[in-house]
Amino acid sequence: MGGLDTYLQRFSQSQAPLSDQHLAAAIRSLPGGGYASLPSSGRRRWLEELLAVVDDRSAGAGPSSGVKPETVAPSPRPAASAAKKRTRPAAARQAVQTVGQASLDSPVSALKGVSRTTLSRFARLGVHTVHDLLFHFPYRYNDFANIRPISQLVVGEEQTVLATVWSAAETTIGRRSKGTEAIVGDETGKLRVIWWGQRYIARQLRSGAQVALSGKVSVYRGQRQMESPEYELLASDDLIHTGRLVPVYSLTKGLWPRVVRRLAREALDSFADSVPDPMPPELKERLRLWSLPYALRQMHYPDSMETAQMARRCLAFQELLTIQLGVLKRRRAWQESGRAYPLALSQEALDGFLSSLAFTLTQAQRRVMDEMAADIGREVPMSRLLQGDVGSGKTVVATVGLLAAVASGCQGAMMAPTEILAEQHYRTICALLGDGGERILDGGAFQPPYMEKPVRVVLLIGSLRGKEKAAIQEAIARGEVDIAIGTHALIQSEVAFPRLGLVVVDEQHRFGVMQRAALRAKGLSPHMLVMTATPIPRTLALTVYGDLDISLIDEMPSGRKVVKTIRALPHERDEVYGFVREEVAKGRQTYIICPLVEESEAIAAKAAVQEYEHLARDVFSDLRLGLVHGRVPSAEREAEMRAFRDGNLDILVSTAVVEVGIDVANATIMLVEGADRFGLSQLHQFRGRVGRGEHQSYCILQADNPSQEAQERLSLMETIYDGFRLAEEDLRLRGPGEYFGTRQTGMPDLKVARLSDIDLIERARAEAARLLKADPPLALPEHRLIERQVSHLWERITAEVS
Ligand code: ADP
Ligand code: MG
């Protein structure tokens, strides 16, 4: 009563505990006419400054620096910007670990009114401690500021109504499904509400109760209704008053939204301030990040959608910084724990090699070669990821690296995921060195004119006879072998390389980390080049593969024929088969990829067998068909692939599980069944298996039952031939989860951050590098907490990978 001026007058006369110097100063700063005499902008400014002080006084609830956090999280609160720069009292900064007996690490039951059953329900969500609860974030908010009367509900939109329950009962909907049907009303009308399968709700909604309902409005028999909305009994609840934005948490059976909300609130009130903030103060200050307690509060009970968004960005940044620190530390550890041999190829030798090729390198190949040469010339072991679309010519680049190793008196190793690919690399490299295989000397060595000494190349794979294998292993151990090519068994086996200079890993980027660990365990620290044709969008490259330097071949050799890509509908299948037949009649070969079966590899294999039998019996009974899938033992699988490579099969039926990474120049058709179920990147990989020879090739995308959306997605395949652009489209259209099908090994799961937070990822990367430069072991007191967080994260990931 009497407005703010009267209030302030009373306040300053009382002995209120908050009437400290800041408040007193704020009150004194008012002009003679008091608050009422300020213009509206002045009022706002004055109040905001005051609020910022109050925020800070209440135990660290305010922005850490009271400065507008514009760098990472643009502030909608000019509040802070106006505030004078203050430092928080030491007492507030020092985290209080315990409140009474309870601490952050206490079980959730340390909070009021948590029963054993509630505790076990939380456990199912992975929430065990108070700390877990504070980091169990809402996935969205109900906006109770935006409540609509029933009469104004719009069909098709998410909305919230406040209403009284008229009736609620269990009901049978349709023929079999049971659920709850309720009729609710407000002064403007009534609404039918349905929950499928949730009969217990009927017992909760007593008639006369006040409820808030949030959900989508649909029309059923001409009447508007809400289906399975979020609901909240309002009887004794103060939610509407506590905030206009009410958090919605993921729940588990028997855990009620209101219980989680109440407990989250309580946890925030009692414990948020004791959460240790791992962010180094300097960083927080410079990037104007919110203090962790304040971000936590705004994450659970935001003042507005903007503050919720900002809180998310602050927390996401912290998460990403932890990942980046881990990734960069791992890289540094690899680089520092061992010395590699410096490798170099003389200009004459390089020119000699290049002029022996039937083609000239593309600009991109040259650039990548230079990047590699700069790395391997040093003692710091290289960790480089070489990305390049299928057919972009990565092998030649790798070969130059291997030659540099040989020229420097070292050994080179090249590993492929399967034996047949290892064989293929062996042939390719022999051909590259032997000028078509004509200059083979005794003992499998080549004497290319540009190399000083003969180069001995061996293929080491599991299917070799025991004696042969032992002989090769011994030759490697004696240092007589210059280049060894094989599967990853090459490194995991007993083979000892006395002078390993460079390891090239083809198409196994996911295991790169493990292989490196295996090498390190043997006391080796060679340079490492990991090659992949799987396009990795930049954000992933920075996170998942963040400890590798990246080289990109973004240019295809000229003169390549474009693989014609054609979409086919179910009724065109016969025509497609006819076309396959025509090509086979011309002596060409076809791959047929079976539809993706999600359930299990066993089921996928069964489906592939059925498809194969159907094709072999009913469609191509006169042709030679082969089959490969994940359940076929690898020796048999390789035999089948070899038969296809050698032209003894016309058609190879395969599941997607099998990496058909072989180079068969005579194959001209890639027929993908159920194409709508694959991601664009994967389709592009399939497509890359054809068009490798002189013949015009085709990729036929046979869709089962394509929706409009799927058709549009598939049509991108007809226009985009760049794997990287397709990958980005894929990531955009389907999100990272779908993009990779399954979770990536070694990928930290992101709780708050998203892979689309590109700016945050890059920022975190830069800041992590900066921190590590200043304090490599993160040993300074202000880095201790974040260091601990980093080690926790990597312990978890390492446990997962190994
Ligand atoms: P990928 O990057 O998929 O491993 P490869 O290294 O197997 O590609 O190269 C695919 C084919 O292209 C090979 O036959 C190779 O000899 C050829 N090739 C590589 N570089 C060039 C180039 N600059 N110009 C023409 N052909 C090239
Ligand atoms: Mg390759």
Side-chain angles (χ1 to χ4, degrees):
M1 292 273 251
L4 192 58
D5 282 319
T6 313
Y7 174 76
L8 288 174
Q9 208 176 355
R10 288 226 198 92
F11 184 80
S12 57
Q13 282 157 7
S14 74
Q15 292 304 313
L18 279 175
S19 61
D20 69 358
Q21 44 170 344
H22 291 285
L23 280 167
I27 293 168
R28 271 202 310 276
S29 75
L30 286 171
Y35 177 79
S37 69
L38 291 171
S40 70
S41 64
R43 288 182 188 189
R44 183 182 178 120
R45 216 181 126 89
W46 183 83
L47 265 176
E48 282 167 347
E49 277 187 37
L50 191 57
L51 283 172
V53 174
V54 173
D55 265 353
D56 234 27
R57 305 232 63 83
S58 55
S64 69
S65 71
V67 180
K68 187 177 168 193
E70 67 197 349
T71 318
V72 164
S75 171
R77 279 187 79 188
S81 74
K84 284 184 221 98
K85 194 165 180 258
R86 293 149 288 112
T87 39
R88 288 227 320 260
R93 214 182 305 132
Q94 226 166 38
V96 188
Q97 280 282 356
T98 55
V99 174
Q101 287 303 320
S103 75
L104 277 173
D105 296 325
S106 300
V108 179
S109 52
L111 300 168
K112 261 178 266 156
V114 178
S115 64
R116 283 188 99 96
T117 28
T118 307
L119 201 60
S120 69
R121 283 167 186 156
F122 267 120
R124 261 183 273 150
L125 291 172
V127 174
H128 304 281
T129 63
V130 172
H131 186 275
D132 294 340
L133 182 59
L134 285 173
F135 285 82
H136 179 60
F137 296 125
Y139 60 90
R140 68 179 182 88
Y141 306 92
N142 277 337
D143 189 355
F144 284 132
N146 231 335
I147 291 168
R148 296 227 178 117
I150 290 177
S151 64
Q152 286 174 28
L153 290 175
V154 180
V155 173
E157 274 179 28
E158 284 267 341
Q159 294 147 98
T160 301
V161 291
L162 290 187
T164 307
V165 178
W166 290 5
S167 67
E170 284 186 25
T171 181
T172 309
I173 311 163
R175 205 166 338 130
R176 300 196 54 196
S177 66
K178 299 242 192 310
T180 294
E181 174 175 15
I183 305 296
V184 302
D186 65 8
E187 55 272 32
T188 69
K190 74 178 170 74
L191 183 69
R192 185 176 112 112
V193 188
I194 289 285
W195 285 271
W196 308 101
Q198 291 163 291
R199 283 183 288 167
Y200 59 85
I201 295 175
R203 272 168 279 137
Q204 299 235 313
L205 303 178
R206 284 183 313 271
S207 56
Q210 287 286 325
V211 280
L213 300 163
S214 296
K216 222 177 207 169
V217 176
S218 58
V219 174
Y220 175 72
R221 296 198 174 145
Q223 301 251 321
R224 283 173 310 168
Q225 68 165 20
M226 259 191 190
E227 265 180 60
S228 302
E230 287 269 339
Y231 70 101
E232 187 91 40
L233 282 167
L234 297 175
S236 62
D237 221 322
D238 59 351
L239 280 176
I240 301 293
H241 312 287
T242 51
R244 301 163 315 135
L245 289 172
V246 175
V248 182
Y249 297 94
S250 57
L251 300 167
T252 179
K253 192 159 172 248
L255 201 56
W256 308 108
R258 47 203 323 241
V259 172
V260 183
R261 282 175 199 156
R262 180 175 66 74
L263 293 173
R265 171 108 257 176
E266 207 185 307
L268 284 172
D269 289 346
S270 313
F271 294 94
D273 293 322
S274 55
V275 179
D277 189 344
M279 278 296 181
E282 183 276 331
L283 193 67
K284 230 155 56 175
E285 192 87 359
R286 187 160 42 79
L287 298 185
R288 291 149 193 187
L289 293 167
W290 283 352
S291 73
L292 183 53
Y294 188 70
L296 286 174
R297 286 199 167 86
Q298 289 298 325
M299 193 71 179
H300 288 276
Y301 282 94
D303 292 340
S304 66
M305 283 299 184
E306 287 77 26
T307 58
Q309 169 67 7
M310 244 193 300
R312 190 190 80 76
R313 283 176 64 82
C314 287
L315 291 163
F317 179 76
Q318 185 177 322
E319 186 174 31
L320 291 166
L321 183 73
T322 309
I323 293 172
Q324 290 301 331
L325 283 169
V327 146
L328 293 179
K329 278 188 83 161
R330 197 166 66 174
R331 169 196 162 101
R332 196 179 267 263
W334 163 254
Q335 292 183 335
E336 282 176 358
S337 68
R339 288 274 149 92
Y341 298 102
L343 311 176
L345 192 62
S346 71
Q347 192 61 48
E348 294 84 352
L350 179 61
D351 291 343
F353 172 68
L354 295 182
S355 60
S356 77
L357 300 176
F359 47 80
T360 49
L361 294 190
T362 60
Q363 285 293 333
Q365 280 171 315
R366 284 192 170 277
R367 191 188 63 237
V368 166
M369 225 174 57
D370 290 344
E371 285 165 3
M372 177 182 67
D375 276 7
I376 62 178
R378 301 189 303 154
E379 282 191 334
V380 178
M382 167 176 79
S383 311
R384 193 165 275 283
L385 177 69
L386 172 51
Q387 293 191 78
D389 213 342
V390 195
S392 60
K394 297 184 288 291
T395 320
V396 185
V397 175
T399 307
V400 170
L402 293 169
L403 284 176
V406 177
S408 312
C410 290
Q411 294 170 299
M414 182 157 187
M415 294 187 289
T418 62
E419 296 209 342
I420 193 154
L421 282 176
E423 247 176 64
Q424 189 171 293
H425 280 313
Y426 176 71
R427 289 175 181 219
T428 306
I429 288 177
C430 288
L432 286 173
L433 298 183
D435 205 4
E438 296 195 355
R439 295 176 198 231
I440 300 179
L441 304 178
D442 290 345
F446 299 88
Q447 178 58 72
Y450 45 85
M451 295 296 282
E452 278 175 20
K453 283 186 295 192
V455 182
R456 183 160 172 204
V457 188
V458 299
L459 176 67
L460 183 59
I461 50 178
S463 55
L464 290 178
R465 276 178 296 121
K467 253 174 79 182
E468 241 177 311
K469 196 155 60 189
I472 292 179
Q473 284 173 345
E474 277 160 32
I476 292 175
R478 280 197 303 270
E480 293 165 12
V481 167
D482 298 303
I483 298 176
I485 298 169
T487 58
H488 59 267
L490 183 61
I491 272 189
Q492 276 151 16
S493 72
E494 299 307 297
V495 190
F497 287 88
R499 277 179 73 81
L500 189 56
L502 170 71
V503 173
V504 178
V505 182
D506 192 24
E507 288 304 346
Q508 270 191 305
H509 46 292
R510 291 177 205 206
F511 306 114
V513 179
M514 276 182 280
Q515 280 161 339
R516 231 162 41 170
L519 286 165
R520 187 45 53 78
K522 292 179 153 195
L524 299 170
S525 34
H527 296 291
M528 186 139 145
L529 182 70
V530 181
M531 306 197 292
T532 180
T534 310
I536 302 167
R538 184 163 167 73
T539 50
L540 279 183
L542 283 174
T543 44
V544 189
Y545 306 104
D547 55 340
L548 303 173
D549 290 309
I550 294 179
S551 286
L552 180 62
I553 303 188
D554 50 2
E555 179 187 358
M556 289 299 253
S558 58
R560 281 279 156 79
K561 285 212 180 72
V562 168
V563 175
K564 279 195 187 141
T565 304
I566 302 153
R567 277 179 296 148
L569 292 168
H571 67 269
E572 295 166 321
R573 177 163 276 119
D574 285 344
E575 235 174 292
V576 170
Y577 288 154
F579 183 59
V580 169
R581 212 168 254 295
E582 278 172 34
E583 284 289 301
V584 170
K586 284 193 235 161
R588 306 284 90 78
Q589 291 164 287
T590 294
Y591 294 99
I592 299 182
I593 303 291
C594 298
L596 192 63
V597 181
E598 308 276 1
E599 287 85 350
S600 73
E601 194 149 318
I603 294 173
K606 194 164 154 241
V609 172
Q610 277 170 3
E611 175 77 10
Y612 167 79
E613 284 173 353
H614 162 66
L615 289 172
R617 194 180 50 226
D618 312 326
V619 187
F620 299 118
S621 55
D622 52 330
L623 303 181
R624 298 166 302 169
L625 270 66
L627 170 68
V628 290
H629 59 70
R631 282 290 166 113
V632 175
S634 68
E636 252 173 73
R637 195 160 74 205
E638 303 238 344
E640 203 81 340
M641 302 251 234
R642 258 182 215 116
F644 186 69
R645 180 192 66 195
D646 299 339
N648 299 326
L649 292 172
D650 301 312
I651 296 174
L652 186 66
V653 180
S654 165
T655 55
V657 199
V658 176
E659 169 70 30
V660 202
I662 42 170
D663 227 338
V664 181
N666 192 45
T668 54
I669 298 182
M670 169 56 68
L671 168 57
V672 184
E673 292 284 350
D676 43 321
R677 297 191 223 172
F678 290 102
L680 298 179
S681 286
Q682 203 169 3
L683 291 174
H684 183 70
Q685 295 293 316
F686 292 144
R687 178 163 68 185
R689 304 270 56 102
V690 293
R692 305 181 77 89
E694 65 204 278
H695 313 288
Q696 176 60 54
S697 297
Y698 307 86
C699 175
I700 305 175
L701 305 174
Q702 179 83 60
D704 292 337
N705 182 18
S707 59
Q708 177 77 16
E709 195 187 333
Q711 278 298 310
E712 277 166 26
R713 205 162 60 82
L714 287 182
S715 73
L716 292 174
M717 292 295 295
E718 297 175 324
T719 48
I720 304 179
Y721 283 85
D722 173 340
F724 285 79
R725 270 192 59 208
L726 283 172
E728 254 140 36
E729 288 292 325
D730 231 9
L731 200 57
R732 189 175 63 74
L733 290 169
R734 305 198 308 165
E738 282 284 317
Y739 176 73
F740 283 108
T742 51
R743 234 169 76 78
Q744 285 273 285
T745 322
M747 170 68 188
D749 58 354
L750 300 174
K751 266 184 100 111
V752 197
R754 304 181 193 123
L755 286 171
S756 51
D757 293 328
I758 299 172
D759 63 322
L760 284 184
I761 291 175
E762 291 185 340
R763 182 98 221 191
R765 176 110 174 151
E767 292 301 335
R770 191 170 161 144
L771 271 177
L772 286 173
K773 193 162 174 215
D775 177 17
L778 294 179
L780 292 175
E782 61 267 34
H783 298 153
R784 227 188 47 237
L785 283 174
I786 194 127
E787 203 288 322
R788 222 164 54 204
Q789 200 158 312
V790 173
S791 353
H792 279 322
L793 177 73
W794 290 99
E795 269 162 33
R796 231 183 43 226
I797 290 171
T798 316
E800 245 170 54
V801 170
S802 50

